[in-house]
Amino acid sequence: MSKYCIANWKMYMSKKNIDSYFENFLSKDLNNNCNIVICPSSIHLDYVNKLSESNKSISLGSQNVSEYENGAYTGENSLQMIKESNCDFAIIGHSERRQIFHESDIDVNNKLKVLNNSNVTPIICIGETLEERESGITREVLKNQFKRIFNDINFNLSKEFIIAYEPIWAIGTGKSADTETIYSIHKFLKNIINEINLNNCNICLLYGGSVNEENASEILAVDEVDGFLIGSASIDADVFYNIYNKF
Ligand code: PGA
């Protein structure tokens, strides 16, 4: 199974930050067996592509993709556009897109359909809110998200899918899920994958939510964790590298 260390830079970085990030990051040894994917904001994709293209260990991902092919969709970026910027990956269904910009599972399903017919690998985010967790309905919520997102997808079996389990209460809070929770939820997700007959697909299961230098090793040691989707700890090149080095 492939391993992934994915940086979601959200809306944090300026070009100046990006310059110093790469000056530092590219001086490091990036040759372990884990894939590095950097997801800058879309306006910086070409810029990051130019800075990183000399290093084949680094791939580029978009933080989102439009469900539409082209047309009058102000502020959106199409599959074709992100491919022109050399993206091999695209995050879809991030909880910030869902909660702040009101994207639904149906929108995520439409985006997955767009990516499924392309050579861009989807990074599909799912996760429960604190309220849902405290009401004891985490598994039900995840199963429903899963079923709606994968509804009516004509699976391309040669394609890799990345699913990031990101409990919303753990994102940006400094409080990651504990390893027992991660283990049991990832096991549960593997069962759903089998149930809806996705088991012939190449699926990587990542964890995301307050991953940092201190907790990365113990989370990575959990069975069924194939890597990380990292927000705030990914915007410092040294910190991101130290996490990558735990693989
Ligand atoms: P965080 O964000 O690492 O800052 O918690 C993770 C994410 O939003 O993907």
Side-chain angles (χ1 to χ4, degrees), residues 60 126 159 168 170 178 181 207:
L60 213 55
I126 56 172
K159 198 173 166 66
I168 295 168
D178 60 50
T181 304
Y207 170 76

Side-chain angles (χ1 to χ4, degrees), residues 8 10 12 172-174 210-211 230-236 239:
N8 175 9
K10 306 192 180 185
Y12 285 125
T173 58
S210 295
V211 173
I230 309 167
S232 35
S234 74
I235 59 176
D236 178 308
V239 174

Side-chain angles (χ1 to χ4, degrees), residues 4 36 43 45 66 71 76 111 133-134 136 188 212 225 233:
Y4 284 99
I36 300 169
I43 201 162
L45 281 169
S66 175
E76 291 285 281
K111 290 171 190 223
R133 174 181 155 84
E134 287 175 347
F188 172 75
N212 58 38
V225 172

